[in-house]
Amino acid sequence: MSKKHLTILTGGSRGMGLAIGQQLLREGHMLISIARKTSDALAEAATDTEQLQQWEQDLANSEEAAKRLTTLLSSLNADDWASLTLINNAGVIPRIAPLGQIAVADLQNAMRVGLEAPMALTGAFLAATEQWTCPRKVLNISSGLGRRPMASQAAYCSAKAGMDMFTRCTALEEALKPHGAKLCSLAPGVIDTDMQVQLRGANPEDFPDIGNFKAMKQDERLTSPADAAARLLAYLHRTDFGENPVADVRDK
């Protein structure tokens, strides 16, 4: 019996996450999708009921999510798998406005989903599989906004900047281990998703950069979720994945 590839994906119910999940299923991967809601479109891409698990999980409760992942991974036999991958894709943008106008609860949710949950899930993933010898990878979906500031985007920029830094730190830790995991925080480019709709629909008085986002849509400079997913997965499959722990999908 040939060994299979297992991927854990957050935010797989819509947008680019859905496209990533669909493509992984078509490639024959076993997939665990963690999102607030299940997706019929994702289920339709699975060849059988065993290929896909969909967990309904609020990632703002990172402790519960990490415990569920630990339980699942601890139940597996390492010898059954050809590779193991975690893709932290989920994220949220709170109200697009200056920091002083954003409710603390919205800030907490954005940071928990966008930074705390990826850290907690990555920690659970690495701890539960530390003795595995098959290739293990963590792909964190970052953003160019984690590398350059933007007004009225303090929470999102901070979460992505934090994702870049924790990836760097954890990559150093894993490099010291005989079978350490490879990690990369990867910016995917500008993608035509609901998040872009949210940005274009912001109050112009609160968001000085709104014109740039409207122009990208008008000039057809946005990448489709399917194309973005294909580029991300191509990068994930590169032989040099993880050599640069913070990268851009457009890197050569």
Side-chain angles (χ1 to χ4, degrees), residues 20-251:
I20 291 172
Q22 290 171 323
Q23 291 182 35
L24 286 169
L25 290 169
R26 286 197 291 269
E27 290 178 9
H29 285 239
M30 306 295 286
L31 181 66
I32 298 171
S33 173
I34 306 175
R36 294 192 66 172
K37 296 180 179 180
T38 59
S39 166
D40 291 341
L42 187 61
E44 290 171 0
T47 57
D48 57 59
T49 56
E50 294 183 357
Q51 191 186 11
L52 172 66
Q53 292 184 40
Q54 296 197 67
W55 295 0
E56 289 189 340
Q57 174 68 55
D58 183 356
L59 289 168
N61 187 343
S62 61
E63 182 177 12
E64 180 179 287
K67 285 181 178 179
R68 289 183 70 179
L69 183 59
T70 297
T71 299
L72 180 280
L73 293 175
S74 298
S75 72
L76 301 179
N77 183 347
D79 294 333
D80 292 340
W81 302 97
S83 71
L84 183 62
T85 302
L86 170 65
I87 302 177
N88 285 307
N89 164 72
V92 296
I93 295 181
R95 178 188 171 192
I96 301 168
L99 183 62
Q101 299 180 24
I102 303 174
V104 172
D106 290 339
L107 289 174
Q108 290 175 324
N109 185 66
M111 298 305 289
R112 285 171 178 166
V113 175
L115 181 57
E116 182 181 297
M119 292 185 74
L121 290 172
T122 299
F125 175 90
L126 296 174
T129 62
E130 186 170 14
Q131 301 305 316
W132 289 35
T133 58
C134 71
R136 293 177 300 140
K137 297 179 180 180
V138 177
L139 173 59
N140 290 323
I141 307 300
S142 185
S143 170
L145 290 184
R147 300 160 199 179
R148 65 180 180 90
M150 180 173 288
S152 299
Q153 288 291 308
Y156 187 77
C157 289
S158 297
K160 293 305 184 181
M163 173 176 276
D164 286 352
M165 185 53 72
F166 100 73
T167 304
R168 289 184 186 275
C169 295
T170 310
L172 291 174
E173 297 163 2
E174 291 299 301
L176 300 174
K177 301 175 182 179
H179 300 288
K182 303 295 184 183
L183 295 94
C184 182
S185 187
L186 188 64
V190 187
I191 306 158
D192 197 3
T193 62
D194 290 344
M195 194 170 287
Q196 287 291 315
V197 175
Q198 185 180 353
L199 291 165
R200 295 194 300 272
N203 184 343
E205 295 181 0
D206 292 333
F207 190 31
D209 288 280
I210 189 171
N212 293 333
F213 288 93
K214 288 184 175 181
M216 283 190 287
K217 176 65 173 179
Q218 182 177 344
D219 297 341
E220 298 183 343
R221 286 183 279 148
L222 301 178
T223 305
S224 72
D227 286 346
R231 293 181 187 180
L232 287 167
L233 293 177
Y235 195 99
L236 177 65
H237 297 331
R238 283 170 51 158
T239 57
D240 64 348
F241 178 87
E243 289 186 8
N244 186 357
V246 174
D248 190 291
V249 75
R250 293 159 289 196
D251 292 343

